[in-house]
Amino acid sequence: MTTHPNLHPALRPGALQHLQLANRYVVAPMSRASATDDGIPTEAMARYYAGFATGGFGLIIAEGAYTDLCHAQAYGNQPGLCNDAQEAGWQGVTNAVHRAGRRIILQLIHAGAVSQAVSVPHAPSAVRPTGKMLDGYGPNRGPYGTPRALSGQDIRDIKAGFVQAAVRAQSVGFDGVEVHCANGYLLDQFLTPETNLRDAPYGGSVENRIRLTAEIIADIRAATGGGFLTGVRLSQAKATQPDYFWHGGLADAALIFAAVAEAGAGFIHLASEVKGYAYHSSTPDGDNLCHFARVTTGLPVIANGGLQDPDLARDVLNKGEADFVAIGKAAMNNPDLPDRIARGRPVETFTYDLFSHGVSIEGQAKWQAERSGIMAVGA
Ligand SMILES: Cc1cc2nc3c(=O)[nH]c(=O)nc-3n(C[C@H](O)[C@H](O)[C@H](O)COP(=O)(O)O)c2cc1C
């Protein structure tokens, strides 16, 4: 296919392994706490995800789905993928996105110590997480409690949960999965020395601390075969610790990226959740981690953090720092962001007012209705 030389680089087609994508705009995973109480995705969720597909996004990474019914769940009304009813709910989502001609993969998450949904969370070690539970989510709120340290059998069960969820994701039509090892959730708790006080095989060196994530990727690959994409999301910062950096800088990054690449990851996605791309995707010495991941592993890299700014996204792609840009908050109020960029229309600024009725899809609809009422009155 020939592309216009002035086309924004994020609008050019791309590929994640075998998965051909219409462009390089990706929806970042965002928990909307909009499933039923039993974690079953709803028709409203199917419409919400289809909206990104019709709005032009090449790939959607659906919000983190919990991987077992015991301790993986992070929030109330979070979707899971652990039983037939949840699987059937996701079928509606994948069908809606595929009907619109776009691709969708599912993020798989175990919340570990920062679960707001289980009474005694499980974690690598009995270390109380820093910070407090996220306000927008429930049912539990306030300071985190001290989690229970996982046994060897618990770890085997967690691995099995990820693999079974991935197999279900494949059978329900997802184009792949993203293993969540970012933002302070369970797999990132293993990677982080302050929350992982274990000995080998899963604690101690960087190689040991990334081992569980690597084993999960390898096991999913073995269970799902070559035609199914398995990527990984990583980050330095945690949702409640935005100023956290990998202690060993590029040396740690080299070991982490190599481990997930050797395990068979099809892409690396670096989350930059709070302070944006430049801050979180660099080491304190100023080295760019996306670029480093790309050149050291040869894998496609997805960058994230404030990349709704077309100039910043252009820069990141043209400099070869990343292959794809994932849009989070701005995609919520601009589900047609790629179409806007293609037509030279402005991207609406995201405002936290969007959550004034909660983080759910329904809450956003209420906010939108109020806003259009105000606009109609003021027009
Ligand atoms: C409401 C909300 C929910 C989120 N849920 C997830 C999630 O389920 N998994 C995840 O890895 N990141 C999650 N994130 C982080 C986003 O994927 C993204 O990294 C962050 O918003 C920064 O990107 P942005 O600057 O484009 O918004 C969430 C962010 C928001 C605002």
Side-chain angles (χ1 to χ4, degrees):
M1 182 193 286
T2 50
T3 49
H4 193 277
N6 290 331
L7 193 71
H8 191 288
L11 294 171
R12 300 204 173 114
L16 283 174
Q17 306 285 77
H18 62 280
L19 200 63
Q20 300 297 322
L21 300 171
N23 60 47
R24 279 111 193 295
Y25 273 118
V26 175
V27 180
M30 285 179 289
S31 292
R32 300 304 303 267
S34 296
T36 68
D37 289 344
D38 297 330
I40 301 169
T42 62
E43 283 176 22
M45 287 171 66
R47 285 194 296 276
Y48 161 76
Y49 281 114
F52 297 119
T54 52
F57 278 92
L59 177 69
I60 296 157
I61 306 178
E63 65 200 272
Y66 57 86
T67 51
D68 64 56
L69 295 169
C70 306
H71 297 96
Q73 189 175 351
Y75 311 116
N77 297 102
Q78 180 186 13
L81 187 43
C82 325
N83 59 32
D84 293 348
Q86 293 172 346
E87 191 175 318
W90 281 118
Q91 185 74 66
V93 174
T94 58
N95 285 350
V97 170
H98 288 154
R99 264 199 305 274
R102 296 295 155 110
R103 304 292 198 169
I104 180 164
I105 68 177
L106 180 65
Q107 186 181 61
L108 299 179
I109 179 181
H110 191 302
V114 297
S115 170
Q116 298 186 203
V118 304
S119 47
V120 182
H122 286 194
S125 304
V127 177
R128 184 194 282 261
T130 302
K132 65 176 186 54
M133 297 185 191
L134 303 183
D135 282 337
Y137 297 93
N140 303 340
R141 292 201 166 83
Y144 291 111
T146 303
R148 207 199 83 184
L150 292 160
S151 68
Q153 184 57 47
D154 292 332
I155 293 177
R156 285 189 286 281
D157 291 345
I158 285 169
K159 283 205 285 184
F162 271 92
V163 175
Q164 283 157 18
V167 169
R168 284 186 184 274
Q170 185 178 33
S171 79
V172 82
F174 279 103
D175 298 294
V177 289
E178 175 179 272
V179 174
H180 195 350
C181 178
N183 301 350
Y185 295 93
L186 179 83
L187 296 179
D188 190 28
Q189 290 156 27
F190 269 92
L191 181 55
T192 303
E194 288 82 355
T195 48
N196 180 352
L197 310 179
R198 303 176 76 94
D199 298 325
Y202 295 111
S205 63
V206 178
E207 291 95 327
N208 287 350
R209 286 184 272 119
I210 193 66
R211 187 183 309 282
L212 180 56
T213 299
E215 287 180 355
I216 286 170
I217 293 167
D219 288 358
I220 291 176
R221 295 269 297 146
T224 55
F228 189 70
L229 184 66
T230 304
V232 63
R233 196 171 210 213
L234 296 160
S235 69
Q236 299 188 99
K238 288 87 181 76
T240 56
Q241 285 175 280
D243 298 313
Y244 191 93
F245 292 92
W246 290 338
H247 298 309
L250 280 192
D252 280 12
L255 296 169
I256 294 165
F257 297 154
V260 296
E262 274 163 31
F267 66 85
I268 292 175
H269 180 184
L270 278 166
S272 297
E273 187 162 5
V274 181
K275 297 189 177 178
Y277 172 75
Y279 186 78
H280 295 298
S281 294
S282 305
T283 65
D285 293 334
D287 296 299
N288 182 278
L289 287 176
C290 284
H291 184 253
F292 187 69
R294 206 166 171 249
V295 297
T296 55
T297 64
L299 289 174
V301 168
I302 307 176
N304 168 242
L307 296 172
Q308 71 278 3
D309 174 346
D311 295 333
L312 180 58
R314 181 185 289 109
D315 233 40
V316 167
L317 295 173
N318 282 352
K319 281 193 201 150
E321 291 177 356
D323 304 274
F324 293 84
V325 289
I327 313 296
K329 295 180 291 296
M332 291 189 205
N333 61 326
N334 299 273
D336 57 347
L337 185 138
D339 283 353
R340 285 173 183 258
I341 303 293
R343 292 166 203 270
R345 283 172 50 218
V347 174
E348 281 192 35
T349 306
F350 170 84
T351 128
Y352 280 96
D353 287 354
L354 190 144
F355 298 145
S356 52
H357 295 282
V359 294
S360 67
I361 295 167
E362 199 190 348
Q364 178 173 350
K366 282 188 192 153
W367 167 80
Q368 254 153 354
E370 263 174 23
R371 209 162 149 259
S372 45
I374 291 165
M375 283 164 71
V377 170

